[in-house]
Amino acid sequence: MNSSTGPRFSNWRTSTYCGTNGECVEVAAADGRVAIRDSKNSDEGMLVVSVADFENLLARIKQGLI
């Protein structure tokens, strides 16, 4: 996705399961997409998925499938 034409993610939230050693996941939503990044390496890029795919990922994690 071209960063000049893609969604702008600015509302980053840190996971409530963030460890004490700073190994955290951050997420942000915009324009029907969810971005996921490493809080320690936020400048290294992000994974962008649809809201439906993100919800599916969360459901699979909660079921212990991932």
Side-chain angles (χ1 to χ4, degrees):
M1 174 181 305
N2 184 326
S3 62
S4 64
T5 59
R8 302 217 184 266
F9 298 100
S10 60
N11 56 338
W12 291 98
R13 297 183 349 205
T14 302
S15 169
T16 57
Y17 293 98
C18 182
T20 57
N21 57 3
E23 294 181 4
C24 302
V25 172
E26 295 177 323
V27 297
D31 299 332
R33 296 201 171 109
V34 177
I36 308 161
R37 70 180 182 186
D38 179 351
S39 64
K40 289 171 100 177
N41 298 302
S42 60
D43 293 334
E44 296 296 319
M46 66 188 92
L47 173 66
V48 179
V49 298
S50 70
V51 171
D53 286 340
F54 184 71
E55 290 172 347
N56 184 34
L57 172 65
L58 291 180
R60 292 175 59 85
I61 290 170
K62 290 176 183 179
Q63 294 171 1
L65 299 174
I66 297 177

